C-alpha cells in the first residue's frame, strides 16, 4: 500500500489560477508527491470572482478532481496566514482513498446529510473514515443537522467549518462544482483513526440557572426570574447597562451531557418581556450557562490541547477556527495559527476560520462557535 503523505502549501498571488498552481506546487514538493489522491483547497473571499479558474488550475496541478473547500474568512498553511487579504491554501493527501461530494441545498437537506455522507464513506462508517465538511451557515437548521449526523455516522469522524460570505453568497465546492448554499465534503479513508480535539475561546461563569419559561427562541425566565435580569446580573458593571457591547463578549449556551458545552451570541433582547433570544429553541428545564470570551483562557486551552495531540505518528493537521473575533480566539492576529504550526511543523498544517465549527467524534455531533477544532492525521 502507498505510504500516507500530506503537506500544506500557501500562495498570496492575486491571480486565482496562478495562486492555485503555486499553493499546489508547494504542497506537492513538501509531500514528495507528483500527484495526490485528494486535497482541501481553500480561498479567501478576494478570489470569489475567479473560482472556476482557481479550481481548474488546482485540479490540473494536483492530478485529481477529489477536491473540496470553500471561501473562508481566514486561512493559513505552510506557516503563512491570510486575514482580510488574498490567499489560497492547499492540503495535499496521498496514500488514501478520497472522493469529493457535493451536498446541494434544498428543503430539509440538513436532515439527510448524515445519511448521504454515510452512504459514501463506508458500510458501516468506521473510525478511520473522515469527512471534512464545508457548509453555508445561512439558514442552517442546527437541530435537524446534528440529529442527522448522529443517526448515521456511527464511529466515523467529521470536522467542518462555515463558509464566509462574499457578495451576499457563501460558496463551497466539490471537485469543480461550485454552489451557494448546502455543503461540500472531502471523504477520506485514512490509515488510522484521526484524533479530534476541541478547545474553547471562553470561560464559563456562575451561575448555571434552569430555564423555567420559554417561548420558542426566547428565554423568558431563568430559575423563576426574568431572563434579561439574570443576564444583566452576570454581565455586571458597564456591560449590564450596554447590551450592544455585552452581546459581543458575554455568551450563552447549554450543557449537553456526554457532548460537552457549546456557546453562542445572544440573538436579541426584548426589554418589555425582559427576555433574550438564542439561535435555536431551548427546552424548558434545560440549564443555561454563561461564558465570557477570554483570550487568555483560549491560549491556555490551546496549549493543553496541542500537548495532548502531540505524536511522532502525525503526518498532517487540520485546524478549523472561529472568524467571529477579528484577532482570533487568542486576541492577536496570527497567534493561533503560529501556535499550531510551531507544535506540529508549519509544512503539514492547514486551516481555515469561519462563523461556525462542526465536529462529529465519539458518536456525538456538535455545532460550535467561538471555538477551535484540531484534527491530527496519523500514519
Amino acid at each position: 500500500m502507498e505510504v500516507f503523505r500530506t503537506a500544506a502549501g500557501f500562495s498570496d498571488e492575486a491571480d486565482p489560477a496562478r495562486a492555485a498552481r503555486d499553493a499546489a506546487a508547494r504542497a506537492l514538493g513538501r509531500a514528495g508527491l507528483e500527484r495526490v489522491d485528494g486535497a482541501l483547497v481553500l480561498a479567501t473571499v478576494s478570489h470569489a470572482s475567479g473560482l472556476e479558474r482557481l479550481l481548474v488550475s488546482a485540479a490540473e496541478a494536483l492530478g485529481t478532481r477529489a477536491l473540496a473547500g470553500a471561501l473562508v474568512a481566514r486561512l493559513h498553511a505552510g506557516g503563512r496566514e491570510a486575514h482580510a487579504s488574498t490567499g489560497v491554501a492547499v492540503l495535499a493527501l496521498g496514500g488514501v482513498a478520497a472522493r469529493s461530494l457535493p451536498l446541494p441545498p434544498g428543503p430539509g437537506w440538513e436532515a439527510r446529510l448524515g445519511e448521504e455522507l454515510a452512504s459514501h464513506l463506508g458500510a458501516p462508517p468506521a473510525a478511520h473514515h473522515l469527512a471534512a465538511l464545508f457548509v453555508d451557515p445561512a439558514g442552517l437548521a442546527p437541530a435537524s443537522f446534528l440529529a442527522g449526523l448522529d443517526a448515521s455516522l456511527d464511529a466515523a469522524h467529521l470536522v467542518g467549518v462555515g463558509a464566509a460570505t462574499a457578495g451576499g453568497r457563501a460558496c463551497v465546492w466539490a471537485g469543480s462544482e461550485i454552489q451557494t448554499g448546502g455543503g461540500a465534503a472531502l471523504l477520506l479513508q485514512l490509515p488510522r483513526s484521526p484524533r479530534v480535539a476541541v478547545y474553547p475561546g471562553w470561560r464559563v461563569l456562575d451561575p448555571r440557572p434552569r430555564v423555567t419559561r420559554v417561548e420558542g427562541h426566547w428565554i423568558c425566565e431563568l430559575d423563576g426570574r426574568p431572563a434579561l435580569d439574570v443576564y444583566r446580573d452576570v454581565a455586571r458593571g458597564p456591560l449590564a447597562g450596554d447590551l450592544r457591547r455585552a452581546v459581543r463578549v458575554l455568551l450563552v449556551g447549554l450543557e449537553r451531557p456526554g457532548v460537552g458545552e457549546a456557546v453562542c451570541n445572544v440573538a436579541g433582547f426584548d426589554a418589555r418581556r425582559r427576555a433574550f433570544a438564542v439561535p435555536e429553541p431551548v427546552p424548558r428545564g434545560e440549564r443555561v450557562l454563561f461564558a465570557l470570551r477570554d483570550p487568555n483562557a483560549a491560549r491556555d486551552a490551546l496549549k493543553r490541547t496541542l500537548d495532548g495531540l502531540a505524536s511522532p505518528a502525525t503526518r498532517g493537521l487540520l485546524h478549523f477556527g472561529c472568524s467571529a473575533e477579528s484577532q482570533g480566539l487568542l486576541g492577536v492576529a496570527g497567534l493561533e495559527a503560529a501556535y499550531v504550526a510551531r507544535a506540529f511543523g508549519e509544512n503539514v498544517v492547514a486551516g481555515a476560520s469561519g462563523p461556525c465549527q462542526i465536529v462529529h467524534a465519539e458518536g456525538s455531533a456538535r455545532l460550535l462557535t467561538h471555538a477551535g477544532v484540531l484534527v491530527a492525521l496519523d500514519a
Side-chain angles (χ1 to χ4, degrees):
M1 183 178 177
E2 187 180 348
V3 175
F4 174 50
R5 298 180 188 179
T6 180
F10 174 92
S11 176
D12 59 4
E13 290 279 354
D15 179 79
R18 188 178 301 168
R21 288 193 297 268
D22 186 28
R26 293 174 187 271
L28 289 170
R30 289 167 173 165
L33 295 167
E34 294 184 359
R35 61 173 302 279
V36 300
D37 297 304
L40 296 179
V41 179
L42 307 164
T44 55
V45 294
S46 56
H47 282 302
S49 62
L51 286 179
E52 292 83 359
R53 294 176 56 219
L54 189 155
L55 293 175
V56 167
S57 294
E60 290 176 351
L62 294 165
T64 182
R65 293 177 59 84
L67 311 175
L71 289 178
V72 295
R74 186 166 58 242
L75 59 79
H76 65 95
R80 304 275 302 281
E81 181 175 22
H83 170 54
S85 59
T86 299
V88 171
V90 170
L91 183 69
L93 299 144
V96 297
R99 67 170 299 176
S100 56
L101 182 66
L103 301 160
W109 78 273
E110 304 101 320
R112 300 188 300 272
L113 175 63
E115 185 177 349
E116 179 75 5
L117 291 172
S119 68
H120 293 281
L121 277 171
H128 67 285
H129 294 147
L130 173 67
L133 176 66
F134 305 90
V135 299
D136 180 352
L140 190 69
S144 58
F145 175 71
L146 296 176
L149 297 179
D150 281 345
S152 302
L153 288 189
D154 297 328
H157 291 81
L158 178 145
V159 295
V161 70
T165 300
R169 61 189 191 128
C171 292
V172 299
W173 50 82
S176 59
E177 186 172 336
I178 303 165
Q179 64 185 49
T180 300
L186 183 68
L187 309 181
L188 302 169
Q189 293 188 32
L190 298 165
R192 295 176 60 182
S193 173
R195 292 178 295 122
V196 179
V198 175
Y199 61 95
W202 33 266
R203 58 184 173 89
V204 177
L205 305 173
D206 288 327
R208 300 193 185 200
R210 198 177 296 278
V211 177
T212 48
R213 188 163 68 85
V214 63
E215 297 175 8
H217 292 251
W218 287 94
I219 299 177
C220 301
E221 287 186 0
L222 293 168
D223 285 345
R225 294 183 59 208
L228 184 53
D229 293 2
V230 177
Y231 185 90
R232 290 184 189 274
D233 287 350
V234 175
R236 299 178 185 175
L239 287 180
D242 187 351
L243 294 177
R244 285 183 298 179
R245 182 178 164 213
V247 75
R248 295 196 293 268
V249 295
L250 182 58
L251 312 171
V252 298
L254 298 176
E255 293 180 320
R256 299 293 194 192
V259 176
E261 298 163 339
V263 300
C264 61
N265 293 96
V266 169
F269 298 100
D270 187 330
R272 182 182 60 82
R273 287 193 291 174
R274 291 157 76 185
F276 62 81
V278 290
E280 59 179 303
V282 177
R284 186 174 181 273
E286 290 274 1
R287 286 200 178 275
V288 168
L289 61 87
F290 294 97
L292 193 67
R293 278 177 43 191
D294 187 336
N296 291 325
R299 188 174 307 188
D300 291 342
L302 176 56
K303 288 179 179 178
R304 290 193 301 271
T305 303
L306 291 171
D307 288 344
L309 279 179
S311 168
T314 301
R315 297 293 179 267
L317 192 87
L318 289 176
H319 175 220
F320 290 143
C322 177
S323 62
E325 292 84 13
S326 60
Q327 302 300 311
L329 292 178
L330 307 192
V332 178
L335 187 58
E336 201 173 353
Y339 271 50
V340 175
R342 186 174 64 186
F344 283 88
E346 61 185 28
N347 292 342
V348 301
V349 175
S353 295
C356 62
Q357 305 78 48
I358 307 157
V359 179
H360 180 274
E362 299 180 358
S364 295
R366 302 170 68 185
L367 183 63
L368 306 168
T369 58
H370 304 284
V373 179
L374 294 166
V375 187
L377 308 176
D378 298 339

